[in-house]
Every structure is written in C-alpha cells, then in structure tokens.
Amino acid sequence: MNITKMIRLFALLLLCNGMVFMAVAQKAQKWVAPAQYKTMKNPSAGNAESVNTGKDLYAKHCKSCHGKDGLGDGPKASSLDVSCNDFSTAAFQAQTDGEIFYKITQGKDKMPAYAKTLPEDADRWALVNYIRKMK
C-alpha cells in the first residue's frame, strides 16, 4: 500500500472515530430544563384528584416505556437505543416539578413531546403529581 492510500485510510479512520465520539457525547448530554421551568409552581401539587388523573394518563401514555412502577423497565424500553428514566431515583426526584413538566411537555429524542397529545396543562401536571409518588 502506498503512502497516499495509508494517509487517506488514516484520515477516514479519524473522521469515523470523531463521528462516533460526537454521537456518544451528544447522547450523554444532560437534559436541562430552561430556567423559567425550574422555578415554575405546580398549580395542583398535593391534589388527590390530580394524582388519580395522572395515574390513568400514565397507564395510557408512559407505562409501556417507563414500566408499571416507573423504573424504566417497560416492555418497549428494551427496544429503545436510550434508557428510560427511573422515576424512583433520588436524582430524578431532586428535579423540580417544573423541570419534569417541561420534559413531559417538550420531549427529547425518543421521549415524545406531550404538548399536543395532552394539550391541557392540567393533564401534564397530573402526570408530574403521579410520577412524584414513584419514590
């Protein structure tokens, strides 16, 4: 193999390595909610009716990926190339209600955005309230 071919092969390998690194780094980025959501107040916090509504919505929209108990082990979870959040972890529960509301509303990657599926803010807050029970 001549030197030109070796240089091209080396350059191609560097390019591929860089692309893989970028893909891994992008997946590893922390999902951060905008500041205005971090301080957003939950209008239905502690409301039992809201929790019950959230339970029903969770069964319909979330359980297949996040699992019955919110551990990220639903039947669809293993087919995804990302892991589903475990709602029982201290790290997840340390988020504010507004941060969770934002993530449900906006979605990211394989996590669908529920702003259109659940257009009523009250329904998305109900999900937040139910997920809070999964400690």
Side-chain angles (χ1 to χ4, degrees):
M1 185 180 286
N2 68 32
I3 191 77
T4 305
K5 285 184 180 179
M6 287 178 65
I7 291 172
R8 285 183 183 160
L9 180 60
F10 183 70
L12 181 61
L13 287 172
L14 283 176
L15 177 65
C16 290
N17 190 33
M19 290 171 64
V20 168
F21 176 77
M22 293 290 286
V24 170
Q26 190 174 35
K27 281 188 178 186
Q29 286 179 346
K30 192 173 181 179
W31 190 4
V32 179
Q36 71 263 28
Y37 286 90
K38 290 179 182 183
T39 58
M40 185 180 278
K41 298 295 179 205
N42 182 339
S44 59
N47 179 310
E49 184 179 336
S50 177
V51 172
N52 286 333
T53 298
K55 181 177 182 178
D56 293 340
L57 292 169
Y58 182 88
K60 183 176 180 182
H61 298 285
C62 312
K63 184 177 169 182
S64 62
C65 291
H66 292 283
K68 179 176 106 20
D69 298 315
L71 302 176
D73 61 351
K76 289 185 179 178
S78 63
S79 67
L80 300 174
D81 60 355
V82 295
S83 63
C84 295
N85 265 324
D86 177 346
F87 299 140
S88 69
T89 66
F92 183 87
Q93 291 290 332
Q95 297 178 95
T96 68
D97 285 357
E99 288 174 295
I100 298 169
F101 179 82
Y102 168 80
K103 292 174 181 182
I104 292 168
T105 302
Q106 298 299 318
K108 180 182 175 188
D109 300 329
K110 301 289 181 173
M111 167 68 187
Y114 283 97
K116 289 184 181 177
T117 306
L118 300 172
E120 297 296 323
D121 285 356
D123 287 338
R124 286 177 272 124
W125 282 117
L127 278 170
V128 171
N129 295 330
Y130 180 67
I131 289 168
R132 281 288 185 215
K133 300 294 182 186
M134 297 180 167
K135 297 180 189 179

